[in-house]
Amino acid sequence: MPSSKSPRRPPESCQPTRDWLQSRLQEALDEGVSTWVLVGEPGIGKTAFLRGLAQSYPGSPIVEIRRPLGTHRPHGFWAALLGQLDLGGSRVPEPAHEAARWASDHLPPWDGGQRLVLIDSLERAPELVDSSGFAGLDRALTGVTVVIATRPGAHLEALCAGGARLFRWDPACPENLAELKEWVGTQPGCGAPETVEAVVRHSGGNFLVARHLVLALQQKLLAAHDLALTPPSLESALAALWDEILDHAPTDLHDEIVRVACALCEAGEPLPATSLVDFLGISATRVRRVLGWLRPLLHHCDSGYRLFHARMDDFLSRRFRRDLVQVHEQVISFFREAYPSWEEMDDRYGWFYLGHHCDRFARTSRRRDFSVLHWLGEGPYVKA
């Protein structure tokens, strides 16, 4: 019998119904939308939703973009798509442009019904998208709607240019939270109202996080009042998300990706790209490249970037504890050099969070160096 402390993958047989999300899709179908793009953070439930659609719409092919399967490249994608259609015994053509033409001929349902083409994790396949949209599937086909599930990324702009309609799945929206609460309440050992509320609150509306918290409760690894802690299975899931980013990114950017991620996970609020340039001393061009690779794990709002979930913040802070020292030191150095005193400080972030970075620098330093706090309190900032 495996140890109860070893990470286990929670079963996926039971999922929230996502009826409200299917209603949003149906509205788009009724309006004749040819490409509908579901954008959501990792773990929110996009893949499970698409698999449910494949069952609800018989004859609708589904392609999961996964590098080991080769579906992130044009030939692998078209082979996976056309292989689910009746081609009359013909082999899938090798050239991508020919395969795309075959798809246009064979996808429209012969009986005049509705067919969905389901594509999951498009963020892993930049070769399939150009400035005009999804190459080969950017033209309207009678009776066919392309449904794409993806994490955030620069490819969304190209999809919009191709006429796609985006729907952003907000984990904090009332429909998502209500359905997640209902799901948690049906899980063995989690039916108490206070437990349901605790799981939903600590999950932030993310189904992946909620699923691992429920498993930890069932295995008695955590009690309901301990859900702020990260169980081993969730730690492993977060590590997999992070490792996928580094596995795909160019090796010459790895160090800077780590530094930018550390700055975001330790920041007091979302940071714009300009602040990352100022704080870390990285060129604007490289910061843009780094953010491009990190986008699947980021939430972008008007004020800047942050990681998609507080659990990812905590995970990265633990994994890169020693790197945090340099990041906080660089933030402090920027403000020391740019603003010699509070009277000269005109940076909002500095006003609110310089003390936070000084404290975190002292606490993450190997030598527990609290001298920077004395500088903050007794040096040129003492008059504040």
Side-chain angles (χ1 to χ4, degrees), residues 227-307:
L227 291 180
L229 302 176
T230 299
S233 62
L234 179 53
E235 187 86 4
S236 297
L238 295 172
L241 291 173
W242 174 253
D243 290 342
E244 183 179 7
I245 295 295
L246 289 187
D247 287 345
H248 297 166
T251 54
D252 68 301
L253 286 180
H254 281 194
D255 287 346
E256 288 160 324
I257 288 175
V258 170
R259 288 171 61 198
V260 168
C262 286
L264 294 176
C265 77
E266 289 281 302
E269 64 183 24
L271 292 178
T274 51
S275 292
L276 292 168
V277 172
D278 291 340
F279 295 164
L280 303 179
I282 303 174
S283 72
T285 299
R286 289 187 76 82
V287 165
R288 282 196 297 272
R289 287 185 64 197
V290 166
L291 289 173
W293 286 104
L294 279 174
R295 280 292 279 127
L297 298 184
L298 299 182
H299 173 74
H300 184 224
C301 57
D302 292 340
S303 57
Y305 296 92
R306 63 170 174 82
L307 289 155

Side-chain angles (χ1 to χ4, degrees), residues 196-235:
V196 172
E197 292 292 339
V199 170
V200 173
R201 183 175 67 256
H202 285 285
S203 73
N206 185 288
F207 179 69
L208 174 73
V209 177
R211 197 157 49 97
H212 285 279
L213 294 180
V214 166
L215 179 68
L217 289 170
Q218 293 171 338
Q219 294 182 329
K220 301 191 183 306
L221 296 177
L222 294 177
H225 60 270
D226 292 327
L227 291 180
L229 302 176
T230 299
S233 62
L234 179 53
E235 187 86 4

Side-chain angles (χ1 to χ4, degrees), residues 18-27 49 53 56-57:
R18 311 297 189 197
D19 291 338
W20 67 274
L21 195 55
Q22 192 149 348
S23 296
R24 299 294 191 279
L25 171 60
Q26 188 59 52
E27 292 171 4
F49 177 68
L53 290 178
S56 301
Y57 292 82

Side-chain angles (χ1 to χ4, degrees), residues 82-375:
L82 293 174
Q84 300 175 62
L85 304 177
D86 182 6
L87 302 180
S90 301
R91 297 183 60 183
V92 177
E94 185 74 24
H97 67 87
E98 188 69 13
R101 186 180 66 79
W102 276 44
S104 298
D105 293 340
H106 289 86
L107 280 174
W110 60 270
D111 60 357
Q114 177 75 51
R115 169 176 280 164
L116 305 183
V117 177
L118 307 169
I119 304 170
D120 186 34
S121 302
L122 185 59
E123 74 279 353
R124 296 171 175 163
E127 293 183 33
L128 300 180
V129 181
D130 60 17
S131 59
S132 298
F134 194 117
L137 286 176
D138 49 357
R139 291 181 298 135
L141 300 175
T142 303
V144 177
T145 300
V146 179
V147 179
I148 299 172
T150 181
R151 297 172 189 171
H155 61 290
L156 297 180
E157 296 180 6
L159 292 174
C160 288
R165 177 179 295 183
L166 268 58
F167 180 83
R168 298 185 183 274
W169 188 345
D170 180 4
C173 74
E175 298 92 339
N176 184 66
L177 293 178
E179 206 162 49
L180 184 59
K181 184 181 296 185
E182 181 180 353
W183 176 84
V184 174
T186 65
Q187 302 308 297
C190 300
E194 60 272 17
T195 301
V196 172
E197 292 292 339
V199 170
V200 173
R201 183 175 67 256
H202 285 285
S203 73
N206 185 288
F207 179 69
L208 174 73
V209 177
R211 197 157 49 97
H212 285 279
L213 294 180
V214 166
L215 179 68
L217 289 170
Q218 293 171 338
Q219 294 182 329
K220 301 191 183 306
L221 296 177
L222 294 177
H225 60 270
D226 292 327
L227 291 180
L229 302 176
T230 299
S233 62
L234 179 53
E235 187 86 4
S236 297
L238 295 172
L241 291 173
W242 174 253
D243 290 342
E244 183 179 7
I245 295 295
L246 289 187
D247 287 345
H248 297 166
T251 54
D252 68 301
L253 286 180
H254 281 194
D255 287 346
E256 288 160 324
I257 288 175
V258 170
R259 288 171 61 198
V260 168
C262 286
L264 294 176
C265 77
E266 289 281 302
E269 64 183 24
L271 292 178
T274 51
S275 292
L276 292 168
V277 172
D278 291 340
F279 295 164
L280 303 179
I282 303 174
S283 72
T285 299
R286 289 187 76 82
V287 165
R288 282 196 297 272
R289 287 185 64 197
V290 166
L291 289 173
W293 286 104
L294 279 174
R295 280 292 279 127
L297 298 184
L298 299 182
H299 173 74
H300 184 224
C301 57
D302 292 340
S303 57
Y305 296 92
R306 63 170 174 82
L307 289 155
F308 76 94
H309 201 281
R311 299 280 177 163
M312 183 58 78
D313 290 336
D314 296 340
F315 165 76
L316 292 175
S317 292
R318 289 191 299 272
R319 173 170 279 202
F320 299 112
R321 182 177 177 83
R322 293 304 172 206
D323 295 274
L324 299 182
V325 178
Q326 180 187 11
V327 169
H328 289 296
E329 187 173 26
Q330 287 181 301
V331 174
I332 295 166
S333 296
F334 168 78
F335 284 108
R336 270 179 161 173
E337 295 169 6
Y339 307 103
S341 67
W342 283 119
E343 287 82 358
E344 298 170 86
M345 172 79 75
D346 62 358
D347 187 289
R348 177 189 176 279
Y349 187 87
W351 271 106
F352 281 95
Y353 298 111
L354 177 57
H356 160 74
H357 286 283
C358 289
D359 179 70
R360 290 294 292 152
F361 170 72
R363 295 180 188 282
T364 55
S365 173
R366 185 186 301 272
R367 60 187 181 276
R368 297 284 176 162
D369 183 2
F370 286 86
S371 61
V372 69
L373 294 179
H374 294 292
W375 163 78

